[in-house]
Amino acid sequence: MAGEIGLWGVPLAILGGAIRVSTPFIFVSLGETITERSGRINLGLEGTLVFGAMTAYGVAVETGSTWLGLLAAALSGICFGLFHGWICKFPKVNDIAIGIAMMLFGTGLAFFFGKPFIKPSAPHLPAIAFGFWSTIPQVQAALDVNVLFLIGAALSVLLWWAFKNTRAGLIIRVVGDSSDAARAMGINPNSVRLLATGVGGAFAAIGGAYLSLYYPGSWNERISSGQGLMAVALVIFARWNPLGCFAAALLFGGAGALGPSLQSVGVTQGYYLFYATPYVLTLAIMIATSSPGRSLAGAPGELSITK
Amino acid sequence: MTTKLLISRRKLLQTSAAGAALGFLPYSGSVQAATSATVGFIYVGPKDDYGYNQSHAEGAAALKDIAGIKVVEEENVPETVDVQKTMESMINLDGASLIFPTSFGYFDPHMLAMAAKYPKVQFRHCGGLWNKDKNPMNAGSYFGYIGMGQYLNGIAAGHATKSKKLGFVAAKPIPQVLLNINSFLLGARAVDPTITVQVIFTGEWSLAVKEAEATNALIDQGADVITCHVDSPKVVVQTAAGRGAFICGYHANQSPLAPDKYLTGAEWAWGTVYKMFIDKLQKGEPLPNFTRGGLAEGFVKMSPLGPGVNAEGRKQFEATLAEMMKGGFSVIKGPLKDNKGKEVVAAGKAYPETAIELESMDYLVDGVIGSTS
Amino acid sequence: MGTPQIPAVSSLPIATSNLEGLARRSEAVAIPLAALLVGMVLFSVFIMLVGKSPLDFFDIMWRGAFGSWFSVQNSLSRAAPLLLTALCVALPARLGLVVIGGEGAIVLGGVAAAALGWWVDGASAFIVIPLMAIAGMIIGGLWMGIVGALRHYRAVNETISSLLMAYIAIALMNQLVEGVLRDPASLNKPSTHPLAQAYRIGNIPGMDVHWGLVAGIVACIISWLLIEKTRWGFAARIAGGNVRAAQIQGLAVGPLIVGFTALGGAFAGLAGMIEVAAVQGSANASLAAGYGYTGILVAFLARQNPLAIIPVAIFLGGIDAAGGLIQRRMDMPDATILVLQGMLFIIILFSETFYGRFVIFNPDLWKRSA
């Protein structure tokens, strides 16, 4: 290991943490943005995420290929998403409640079938060494960027652009804002929502695959600490904007690194409060940027949670 | 399932009949002689966590081949009214006559309440401080001197470190954890007195991402050997190995996760403890209320040394281990200051592994960077 | 979701026959029961696929949940905290709010009660126990009241703020319990000072279930009366349907929102106090046992109806109670119960689509078909 980096460890940890920890949040919140923009809310992505983590790990253990693991996770996520989308198209079925039940179902299945994969080690997804220019190993480690993070960053820009400029983006937005308007345009809102929820599920499962195949990079029943649920909440925080999701995920990841890194440089009192930083910060920003005048700008009109 | 219930009820009848036939019960702490019995195990997390709960489940598995012993287990039982009801359910529906609640939080008030309510059932708890003046006689506790293992971990780490900084990922600043941290440091300082240990508390017993972040933060600050005290060390071991640091394991043998980087590890061997209890139960001897043991008694063992331990390290490790196998080894001995400069152990005073004072430790010794609150 | 079709109660013929009334009422029982049955059949397929016997499975479930007096009490004990935490979701739901952070109010309510009980140690239990309950309710009410206030006065979404505040509350609880409020004698499990024995809440006479069950049932009844029989409940329903319409009618929407979220929080805080006084004896990290999150599920299954919360919570308590027996008797992992819950609840929630579709439950359609 290299020499002392002292207090520089804190900003470095925040940068490194933002890159390492944010990826699951990015994927789940981007997926949920697509779903919610279409007028549905899928609160069950936590279950999809955990099931995706298990599937990716299990397939990677069995085949030795992380990419096959990732693919299997995405497929499982699509199944969960389509199931949610299909069941919620029936009248009077509450999408939030189904989401909560799906959360139990997904986690339960993941734990049930994941038992044999707790012991074996799976290969890890590759990372790109963006820190090659530095001679400091800590900087090199912090800048080891996983490909999924880069894909997530690219996707958030792409989605932001696509919502504004493509026909598919327009269709999703119209369906999300008014089912009646969509029908008038000859669009079947339920089909659009079905697809949007399916894609959302695939994204969430990929977020889970990142947890099990890269960071922290192992499978056990405690692998997720509620990232899936938190990411769904971050979508509201990001006001259904893909770029906002990316920023919120970075903020969350970076702020989460504050607690451990402060202890490592000797700030040892009150660590529970430091660990609460991501939540306090998010809440503070929400309070500061909301106002009753322009309530929930960007909120899809059909969304049950904001009606 | 009716038949099963009947069988276990019949088993109970047989058991009590045998006890009556022998006609003893001179002291309240005794158990009726039982060649057959149902034994309950309760775990706070999943049975296969590569850590604490798994170490107990493996101990329980060691009993399953013993004739006449039926093992019933329940995992993921929270430290609420749930665990009380689980104990009652094991007693009422399975006919359990001996119960091992294995998480610390089960002791007070949960197990103590059930022990008072079911005086004929024996309860033995892992880690609690059973007190004969205050607690029921059909209850008791057992634990192992795993701090000795962390001292040996420290010796292996002390020889492997180049930066002279070690890292410790810990859950909460409680006596059992503080003793492990201090022992790890003192073991390392037996190699080189300039070594320091940086500790990060995660605040939870199992929190994968935060444990990984803590490991990274320690390595960023120059630590090149990492150990931990969390329920499931898998994440810490894999993250540290991924960053090129050496690892000392905890709870169970994690060397398959990182064979090159794994130095050694402090493991539980609960099978020894559970077999001892069952042996006494089947012979009709009273079960001890307060059980403690270390390396010598086979309650704790060390993982085989990995390739990262050099010849010199191996020699000191084995010599110290041999010394510990004689029993009564003192890791905590004076003069010793805590990391705020206050003297905590006077010169000439030593606490052998058996000293009960160690189980209420509330300080980190000089050389540990971290805080107890 | 389409436009909600709420039949105006007053428009129904007043003198409907008993048979018609019975038909209407039985729909709310028959449909969930049928859904439950379908869910059990589907789960049986799952059980058979993993090579176990569904008959054994449901036999053990029944034994573990309700098959004996011991099992019934076991289920009731587990249901007790859920009654109160479900109200923390169901009350704000009347106003159209989705609050998911009741866990925060539980842990802080528990800490407040434990701190108070230690502070006034020595005073009469007749004063202290109610004071502890009030302390828990005030803290829980304030905590969730903030969520309501942020929603109304700053348009901060209540779902996300309540979830964030739950995490913050747990951090606060840990900091307090391991810091200033810690009993130095609580060695390996940091806790507040234990409550004096006199301040503990015991069991209901003749039962092995603590008084928390009664508190929960009473709270559900009070909440039902509040919603159905008072003008505040009526106003809340209007505001839940359309805030602007409510404001035009001169309803004070702000105080309604703050009041309903705060009352829900007060019940969750009371759940925390009961956990401390009836189960744990002190406040510690075990307070965050997930009751707040299970309460969300209970509330949604009960369709946000406070009276329906009672059977739903007991049903959930029963599944929970039987879960242990399934692990022990069938050698199946704990996750089996999660899968079962997931399947059953998806089907039960899905069955809501059948309300009003069956002629037998709908007297209005009798004449038409006749």
Side-chain angles (χ1 to χ4, degrees):
Chain A
M1 299 296 116
E4 306 279 318
I5 56 164
L7 288 174
W8 282 106
V10 178
L12 194 65
I14 292 173
L15 173 70
I19 295 172
R20 285 189 296 259
V21 180
S22 62
T23 309
F25 292 112
I26 295 174
F27 274 88
V28 180
S29 60
L30 285 180
E32 182 70 7
T33 300
I34 300 173
T35 309
E36 289 191 17
R37 275 279 179 116
S38 81
R40 277 273 166 70
I41 181 159
N42 183 358
L43 215 55
L45 290 185
E46 171 74 17
T48 314
L49 171 122
V50 174
F51 194 84
M54 189 279 291
T55 311
Y57 199 84
V59 171
V61 166
E62 295 294 330
T63 65
S65 161
T66 50
W67 298 107
L68 279 179
L70 200 62
L71 186 70
L75 288 175
S76 73
I78 289 178
C79 294
F80 275 96
L82 288 179
F83 183 59
H84 184 280
W86 174 76
I87 218 164
C88 290
K89 84 174 196 195
F90 291 92
K92 293 188 210 159
V93 175
N94 183 313
D95 50 353
I96 298 176
I98 290 285
I100 296 168
M102 293 277 295
M103 197 184 311
L104 291 178
F105 187 57
T107 359
L109 283 180
F111 292 173
F112 193 94
F113 292 111
K115 292 278 178 200
F117 304 117
I118 295 174
K119 280 229 164 161
S121 283
H124 277 191
L125 285 163
I128 300 170
F130 280 101
F132 60 87
W133 49 270
S134 173
T135 52
I136 305 167
Q138 288 91 336
V139 174
Q140 291 174 356
L143 291 179
D144 260 353
V145 179
N146 185 272
V147 284
L148 282 182
F149 175 81
L150 299 172
I151 295 173
L155 271 174
S156 53
V157 179
L158 184 74
L159 284 174
W160 171 76
W161 177 81
F163 273 127
K164 290 193 165 164
N165 298 308
T166 65
R167 181 165 161 74
L170 177 75
I171 289 174
I172 291 179
R173 278 189 298 138
V174 169
V175 168
D177 279 333
S178 162
S179 299
D180 295 338
R183 282 196 201 92
M185 285 170 67
I187 304 166
N188 179 350
N190 280 327
S191 310
V192 174
R193 289 186 189 135
L194 183 75
L195 290 176
T197 320
V199 174
F203 276 42
I206 291 173
Y210 178 90
L211 282 179
S212 64
L213 290 182
Y214 186 70
Y215 193 77
S218 91
W219 163 249
N220 63 60
E221 295 183 11
R222 304 281 175 79
I223 190 72
S224 163
S225 39
Q227 279 95 332
L229 187 61
M230 200 60 235
V232 172
L234 286 182
V235 175
I236 305 169
F237 173 71
R239 300 211 163 82
W240 298 273
N241 178 346
L243 291 181
C245 290
F246 184 68
L250 284 184
L251 174 84
F252 224 72
L258 197 63
S261 63
L262 279 178
Q263 281 192 65
S264 77
V265 298
V267 183
T268 52
Q269 300 278 334
Y271 44 85
Y272 281 109
L273 302 182
F274 291 122
Y275 284 145
T277 319
Y279 311 108
V280 175
L281 207 58
T282 311
L283 187 64
I285 294 175
M286 281 204 83
I287 295 172
T289 58
S290 303
S291 70
R294 45 178 204 91
S295 75
L296 294 167
E302 289 284 320
L303 210 58
S304 50
I305 210 161
T306 53
K307 263 185 183 170
Chain B
M1 284 304 103
T2 332
T3 47
K4 260 190 191 163
L5 274 174
L6 283 175
I7 288 170
S8 52
R9 210 171 287 149
R10 198 180 307 149
K11 222 178 260 171
L12 261 186
L13 289 172
Q14 282 168 353
T15 316
S16 31
L22 287 171
F24 56 43
L25 296 178
Y27 24 63
S28 53
S30 78
V31 198
Q32 294 145 343
T35 46
S36 64
T38 300
V39 184
F41 285 86
I42 306 172
Y43 316 110
V44 73
K47 264 195 290 190
D48 25 24
D49 62 353
Y50 235 121
Y52 183 78
N53 295 297
Q54 187 173 323
S55 74
H56 283 287
E58 282 169 2
L63 305 181
K64 286 178 180 164
D65 295 334
I66 300 175
I69 296 300
K70 184 168 182 278
V71 173
V72 290
E73 301 172 276
E74 219 177 297
E75 62 178 348
N76 284 330
V77 180
E79 295 165 351
T80 60
V81 75
D82 288 25
V83 69
Q84 300 188 15
K85 293 297 169 187
T86 290
M87 287 186 243
E88 286 200 271
S89 177
M90 284 177 164
I91 296 163
N92 290 332
L93 302 182
D94 295 340
S97 54
L98 171 60
I99 292 181
F100 295 104
T102 62
S103 173
F104 189 86
Y106 292 157
F107 186 68
D108 185 11
H110 309 298
M111 186 193 84
L112 294 178
M114 288 303 109
K117 188 170 174 186
Y118 294 95
K120 285 184 180 155
V121 177
Q122 294 290 320
F123 297 82
R124 293 296 179 274
H125 175 267
C126 182
L129 262 179
W130 179 83
N131 182 324
K132 76 173 189 309
D133 299 324
K134 285 194 277 184
N135 302 139
M137 289 304 286
N138 59 327
S141 70
Y142 58 95
F143 202 58
Y145 307 129
I146 197 140
M148 297 290 129
Q150 281 290 9
Y151 185 84
L152 290 168
N153 272 351
I155 289 176
H159 283 281
T161 180
K162 294 200 173 64
S163 66
K164 305 298 172 194
K165 286 182 82 171
L166 313 178
F168 201 115
V169 180
K172 284 174 181 269
I174 59 170
Q176 286 172 3
V177 176
L178 298 179
L179 177 59
N180 278 339
I181 300 170
N182 291 336
S183 301
F184 184 63
L185 174 97
L186 293 169
R189 287 210 159 173
V191 179
D192 180 344
T194 63
I195 291 176
T196 56
V197 168
Q198 170 82 54
V199 58
I200 292 183
F201 291 104
T202 62
E204 299 287 342
W205 288 104
S206 188
L207 210 56
V209 171
K210 201 165 283 168
E211 286 159 14
E213 281 296 289
T215 310
N216 274 315
L218 289 168
I219 293 170
D220 282 345
Q221 287 300 320
D224 59 356
V225 187
I226 305 287
T227 191
C228 64
H229 187 164
V230 293
D231 271 359
S232 174
K234 190 181 179 188
V235 165
V236 173
V237 170
Q238 288 182 319
T239 310
R243 290 284 303 264
F246 285 112
I247 298 125
C248 294
Y250 192 64
H251 288 318
N253 184 357
Q254 287 102 13
S255 67
L257 295 172
D260 296 338
K261 291 294 179 182
Y262 193 83
L263 297 175
T264 181
E267 300 175 32
W268 295 109
W270 295 120
T272 319
V273 187
Y274 294 138
K275 277 186 177 151
M276 178 276 289
F277 277 116
I278 297 304
D279 190 46
K280 287 191 188 297
L281 187 78
Q282 291 194 314
K283 285 184 184 152
E285 293 173 14
L287 303 184
N289 293 97
F290 194 78
T291 310
R292 293 292 187 270
L295 289 153
E297 293 80 10
F299 283 33
V300 174
K301 64 182 183 212
M302 297 305 292
S303 317
L305 291 176
V309 185
N310 58 23
E312 207 187 336
R314 186 171 290 267
K315 204 172 135 200
Q316 192 179 358
F317 179 94
E318 277 162 5
T320 315
L321 179 60
E323 199 59 36
M324 285 178 174
M325 292 303 279
K326 295 175 190 162
F329 191 88
S330 302
V331 164
I332 304 292
K333 52 178 187 261
L336 195 61
K337 282 185 183 161
D338 71 10
N339 65 359
K340 293 171 190 144
K342 195 180 113 207
E343 188 180 75
V344 283
V345 184
K349 174 95 180 133
Y351 292 102
E353 60 180 10
T354 48
I356 201 71
E357 293 89 341
L358 297 179
E359 296 193 31
S360 50
M361 184 171 273
D362 60 358
Y363 53 85
L364 287 165
V365 300
D366 182 36
V368 178
I369 307 159
S371 159
T372 54
S373 63
Chain C
M1 298 265 117
T3 46
Q5 293 175 344
I6 308 160
V9 180
S10 55
S11 72
L12 292 172
I14 308 265
T16 44
S17 74
N18 285 338
L19 189 66
E20 291 185 3
L22 188 71
R24 280 185 209 285
R25 271 165 218 280
S26 53
E27 182 178 39
V29 177
I31 289 184
L33 279 183
L36 186 63
L37 217 61
V38 173
M40 283 165 68
V41 170
L42 284 181
F43 189 75
S44 300
V45 175
F46 174 80
I47 290 285
M48 283 194 281
L49 285 179
V50 299
K52 305 268 179 178
S53 153
L55 283 179
D56 281 359
F57 184 89
F58 286 109
D59 182 40
I60 295 171
M61 282 299 290
W62 174 252
R63 270 165 211 289
F66 303 105
S68 67
W69 181 225
F70 166 75
S71 298
V72 171
Q73 298 182 87
N74 186 353
S75 304
L76 290 176
S77 301
R78 292 170 196 252
L82 303 180
L83 295 167
L84 291 164
T85 57
L87 286 175
C88 187
V89 182
L91 285 172
R94 279 290 141 168
L95 285 142
L97 306 192
V98 183
V99 170
I100 60 175
E103 192 86 353
I106 302 173
V107 297
L108 290 183
V111 169
L116 184 94
W118 179 55
W119 184 50
V120 300
D121 195 16
S124 159
F126 290 105
I127 300 167
V128 176
I129 292 177
L131 272 184
M132 278 166 49
I134 292 169
M137 291 182 77
I138 288 178
I139 295 294
L142 279 176
W143 195 254
M144 298 313 287
I146 293 174
V147 170
L150 283 174
R151 159 73 193 225
H152 185 73
Y153 298 106
R154 287 211 63 87
V156 175
N157 177 281
E158 75 285 356
T159 312
I160 175 165
S161 68
S162 65
L163 183 65
L164 291 168
M165 283 180 64
Y167 284 107
I168 296 169
I170 292 170
L172 270 177
M173 184 259 308
N174 276 318
Q175 194 68 41
L176 288 169
V177 164
E178 292 186 22
V180 286
L181 292 179
R182 179 169 181 175
D183 170 16
S186 65
L187 294 175
N188 282 311
K189 185 170 189 184
S191 306
T192 59
H193 291 264
L195 284 183
Q197 211 58 44
Y199 301 160
R200 307 282 173 95
I201 299 176
N203 284 345
I204 303 166
M207 282 181 89
D208 197 13
V209 181
H210 61 71
W211 281 101
L213 180 71
V214 175
I217 291 175
V218 169
C220 285
I221 295 171
I222 291 176
S223 301
W224 182 81
L225 289 173
L226 171 74
I227 289 170
E228 301 293 332
K229 306 287 174 196
T230 68
R231 59 192 178 88
W232 298 295
F234 184 67
R237 239 183 310 169
I238 294 176
N242 187 335
V243 173
R244 186 141 314 149
Q247 278 166 335
I248 290 168
Q249 288 188 26
L251 293 173
V253 177
L256 268 179
I257 287 183
V258 176
F260 269 66
T261 44
L263 184 61
F267 286 139
L270 180 64
M273 176 267 176
I274 291 169
E275 275 302 292
V276 167
V279 179
Q280 302 286 356
S282 62
N284 54 52
S286 300
L287 281 175
Y291 292 131
Y293 298 107
T294 316
I296 307 170
L297 189 68
V298 174
F300 273 97
L301 282 173
R303 308 172 90 204
Q304 319 292 1
N305 177 338
L307 283 187
I309 283 174
I310 300 170
V312 171
I314 293 171
F315 176 64
L316 235 75
I319 293 184
D320 206 20
L325 206 59
I326 292 291
Q327 285 188 46
R328 282 161 10 221
R329 292 281 169 82
M330 298 200 63
D331 197 25
M332 295 181 84
D334 175 51
T336 318
I337 293 300
L338 279 178
V339 177
L340 171 72
Q341 288 181 339
M343 273 194 189
L344 289 185
F345 300 153
I346 289 171
I347 307 284
I348 292 174
L349 292 165
F350 173 63
S351 74
E352 296 204 5
T353 196
F354 295 109
Y355 282 88
R357 288 215 192 165
F358 293 104
V359 175
I360 184 168
F361 299 128
N362 198 339
D364 295 341
L365 297 178
W366 292 356
K367 291 147 212 162
R368 216 175 295 167
S369 56

